[in-house]
Amino acid sequence: MAKRSKKKNPNALTKQQRADLQFNKTLDLKKNALDTRLNIVLGITVGLCIIAFLIMPAINMNFSSSLSEILNMEIEENDENPKFAVTVSMSMLDFLTASFGGYENAVDYLSKNTDSSIDPQIIKAAFEQKITKEEANMLGDAYIASAIVSAVTLISWITLLIAVCVCRSKKKDGIFLLLSVAVFTVISAIQWILFVITGAASAPKAAIQPHIGSYLILAASITATVVYGLYRKKVKKLNGERKPVEILTEEVGAE
């Protein structure tokens, strides 16, 4: 008995079907370009954020004092007795590892991690003279909050990295990638807001503000969200423009 099988017959395609197939092929090329652009942006985002997390300072703290404030007596400021300032810069990694340095509290850490050549004990005395116990406790609470946010930021970054590797390597999109981008953006905004609030609360005593690492993480996450949002919108539009093409088949006999 002769076997029969179904094969696609290119000659059975109408002129309109060929045009629709070519149109869909053009849409596929556009989607491939969008995939490449998204992959590049997400790759840059992941890379920049880990560099910012590990190396770049996320918060900058500037403190100034004078001998009169340290010694609690009137001393005229001049070239021999100048007002001095110290700067402390911390990355998010610093917030996670500072507690392993054996420091008594946040004031002790700040005193021993400045950019100044002044003896840490003198700087610590200046801090203790300038701020109250309640303010020192508030500074410690701010450190704890920053450490927690830094840990959550690291977790959200790792989740984003996994989502990018799993989904984008296969040119896939889905709820996992969507949530990882959204959560990372929210956490990036929270860390920046936390440093702004800390700076506002300490304004009378010091100049504390988000630094380059904090801004870079925030900017990278917002950029990734915008590009990813546009990607989903454009892909949805491309899918809606696809032409349905029914490929005709014919039975071919085989002895």
Side-chain angles (χ1 to χ4, degrees), residues 113-133:
N113 290 275
T114 69
D115 65 347
S116 174
S117 59
I118 302 173
D119 187 284
Q121 293 302 320
I122 295 178
I123 296 176
K124 185 176 181 180
F127 283 156
E128 293 175 342
Q129 190 73 29
K130 192 171 184 180
I131 63 177
T132 64
K133 184 177 180 180

Side-chain angles (χ1 to χ4, degrees), residues 105 107 127-141:
N105 48 40
V107 173
F127 283 156
E128 293 175 342
Q129 190 73 29
K130 192 171 184 180
I131 63 177
T132 64
K133 184 177 180 180
E134 290 74 17
E135 290 169 335
N137 291 336
M138 184 184 72
L139 197 60
D141 293 340

Side-chain angles (χ1 to χ4, degrees), residues 39 58 64 101 138 174 205 223 237:
N39 290 344
S64 60
M138 184 184 72
K205 300 294 182 179
T223 300
K237 182 180 178 181

Side-chain angles (χ1 to χ4, degrees), residues 18-93:
R18 290 193 183 94
D20 291 343
L21 285 173
Q22 185 61 40
F23 180 79
N24 288 344
K25 185 177 181 181
T26 302
L27 295 182
D28 290 336
L29 292 175
K30 290 182 178 179
K31 183 179 181 301
N32 288 338
L34 291 175
D35 283 327
T36 300
R37 187 182 308 169
L38 178 63
N39 290 344
I40 291 174
V41 171
L42 289 178
I44 293 175
T45 296
V46 169
L48 285 179
C49 287
I50 193 59
I51 291 174
F53 191 95
L54 293 174
I55 302 174
M56 297 182 178
I59 188 170
N60 192 65
M61 294 168 275
N62 295 296
F63 302 88
S64 60
S65 189
S66 63
L67 286 177
S68 60
E69 290 176 317
I70 296 174
L71 301 176
N72 197 23
M73 57 185 295
E74 290 295 330
I75 298 178
E76 182 181 354
E77 291 183 19
N78 50 45
D79 293 338
E80 294 181 358
N81 300 309
K83 189 168 186 177
F84 67 88
V86 294
T87 299
V88 181
S89 297
M90 296 181 70
S91 68
M92 291 191 174
L93 184 63

